[in-house]
Amino acid sequence: MTVVAEETSASPLRMPRRGISVRGLRKSFRDSGASKEVLRGVDLDIEAGEVIGLIGANGAGKTTLMSCLLGFLFPDAGDLQIDGLAVDDMAVRARTGFVPERTAFGRNLHGRDFLIYMARLAGLSRADAAARIDALMERLELTDAAERPLGNYSRGMLQRIGLCQALVGQPDFLFLDEPTSGLDPSGLLLVRDLIGEQKARGATVLLNSHQLAEVERICDRVYFLRDGRIERAETLRATRIIPIMITLLPGSFDVEALRSHGLSVEGSVATATVEDDAGIAALVRLVIATGAGVVEVRRAGADLEQMFRKGGSPTGATGGLLPRGGP
């Protein structure tokens, strides 16, 4: 999604001081003459710079929620704000990027021409637009298709060009509705890296995806939607807290020695938390120094598939029924 903006030279966008806030969101549609409420009092908070996943079955209200945040749909009730402003404020729209699940771009437009058009709508000068588009097309492996009409693009290529148009204005807020739909494995890895890059530069990302493994790898937190309500919120990776599980060679370790260094031991698995990758390396060195044989080291994380199937909260995740900031 892009809005018309005044032409400017390249300049950094104002980074958001606040994130996304939703309170009491309700939305209904007419179905065979009857009113069906799709969103039934949704509350959520997303901090600036977070990557948040929306998880739920088909019909849970994920796309409707995203569409309300984008200003595509008008809610029946509720308060929605992005960076402290109304979601349809032009200052918000100018800093927003959106990738729909199914693209509907003009089939006769060539890839590069389409992106130039979108970049100009976003307010980039011709020179800045050309440089930005070249970089994006190379990053998304579309350079060879730049002069081909979009009607000749595969579904995966259309998803990639959709990502290009969403990122061309370097948005502060990025909304991704099933961005990996139709992508091959290399495309999945590319999207994962791109989301990480957006987070690294401070962008706020809201991701709607059925790819639970990818959500688990990418997102800081997730919201589970069921029947139009937030059923629970789960933290997948807390800032500066990385849970580590170390599988030990049976018979090679001294339980008390490990516990004296602050590790928990159950069976042949030792667990601890660290703050960064350097902490992981130091932890492994410490375990080996006690004489223990190390078989495997991995980050302990939330099992989203298990949560989705059973509604539980496995070890390694922190959960609750309220979004961050709730009473």
Side-chain angles (χ1 to χ4, degrees), residues 241-258:
I241 299 177
I242 306 173
I244 300 298
M245 298 178 65
I246 302 176
T247 303
L248 305 170
L249 184 67
S252 71
F253 57 93
D254 183 330
V255 173
E256 294 306 319
L258 292 170

Side-chain angles (χ1 to χ4, degrees), residues 6-327:
E6 189 175 314
E7 180 174 317
T8 62
S9 59
S11 60
L13 292 173
R14 180 176 65 87
M15 294 308 295
R17 294 168 299 193
R18 309 173 192 172
I20 298 172
S21 172
V22 176
R23 289 292 179 271
L25 174 58
R26 293 182 176 274
K27 179 62 183 176
S28 300
F29 296 98
R30 303 293 295 182
D31 183 12
S32 301
S35 178
K36 179 180 180 182
E37 194 170 34
V38 177
L39 296 176
R40 300 189 282 177
V42 170
D43 296 333
L44 62 81
D45 292 287
I46 302 174
E47 294 184 2
E50 277 194 303
V51 179
I52 299 296
L54 294 178
I55 297 177
N58 291 333
K62 303 183 301 298
T63 296
T64 300
L65 170 57
M66 190 172 286
S67 296
C68 288
L69 284 168
L70 286 163
F72 296 160
L73 296 174
F74 293 102
D76 300 331
D79 179 65
L80 291 74
Q81 293 187 3
I82 296 179
D83 200 16
L85 301 172
V87 296
D88 59 354
D89 191 294
M90 293 298 285
V92 170
R93 292 196 174 204
R95 298 158 56 210
T96 297
F98 171 55
V99 178
E101 178 180 3
R102 295 187 179 276
T103 58
F105 306 137
R107 294 176 57 84
N108 294 326
L109 281 173
H110 290 196
R112 184 184 301 279
D113 292 340
F114 166 69
L115 292 179
I116 289 174
Y117 175 71
M118 300 304 287
R120 297 289 285 156
L121 283 179
L124 274 70
S125 67
R126 292 185 184 278
D128 291 337
R132 180 72 177 147
I133 288 164
D134 286 345
L136 281 171
M137 296 199 88
E138 180 177 359
R139 182 71 181 86
L140 283 142
E141 301 174 0
L142 287 171
T143 301
D144 291 343
E147 306 305 327
R148 289 166 52 184
L150 297 180
N152 292 342
Y153 278 32
S154 67
R155 185 178 178 188
M157 292 169 68
L158 287 172
Q159 286 297 107
R160 293 182 189 222
I161 203 78
L163 281 162
C164 286
Q165 65 82 27
L167 295 173
V168 72
Q170 294 187 298
D172 290 340
F173 299 94
L174 185 59
F175 295 83
L176 306 176
D177 193 1
E178 296 289 353
T180 58
S181 178
L183 293 180
D184 57 20
S186 65
L188 290 173
L189 295 174
L190 186 56
V191 170
R192 183 195 304 169
D193 290 344
L194 279 170
I195 293 175
E197 291 166 9
Q198 300 312 302
K199 176 179 172 62
R201 71 175 183 82
T204 304
V205 181
L206 183 61
L207 169 67
N208 171 20
S209 177
H210 288 107
Q211 298 281 346
L212 298 185
E214 290 305 308
V215 171
E216 190 172 329
R217 287 176 177 268
I218 293 169
C219 294
D220 300 310
R221 293 187 296 129
V222 295
Y223 283 100
F224 287 85
L225 275 74
R226 186 186 298 273
D227 297 327
R229 294 189 176 96
I230 299 292
E231 184 177 58
R232 67 185 306 113
E234 294 286 347
T235 298
L236 303 185
R237 52 183 60 82
T239 304
R240 298 183 65 80
I241 299 177
I242 306 173
I244 300 298
M245 298 178 65
I246 302 176
T247 303
L248 305 170
L249 184 67
S252 71
F253 57 93
D254 183 330
V255 173
E256 294 306 319
L258 292 170
R259 287 176 176 167
S260 70
H261 289 291
L263 287 87
S264 298
V265 183
E266 184 173 345
S268 296
V269 177
T271 59
T273 59
V274 298
E275 294 186 351
D276 50 30
D277 288 343
I280 298 174
L283 178 65
V284 173
R285 287 195 298 268
L286 185 151
V287 170
I288 293 174
T290 67
V294 174
V295 176
E296 180 187 30
V297 179
R298 64 186 179 90
R299 299 186 184 210
D303 186 339
L304 289 184
E305 183 175 345
Q306 179 181 335
M307 289 187 211
F308 186 73
R309 289 178 181 272
K310 300 181 180 179
S313 180
T315 301
T318 58
L321 297 178
L322 291 172
R324 187 172 297 181

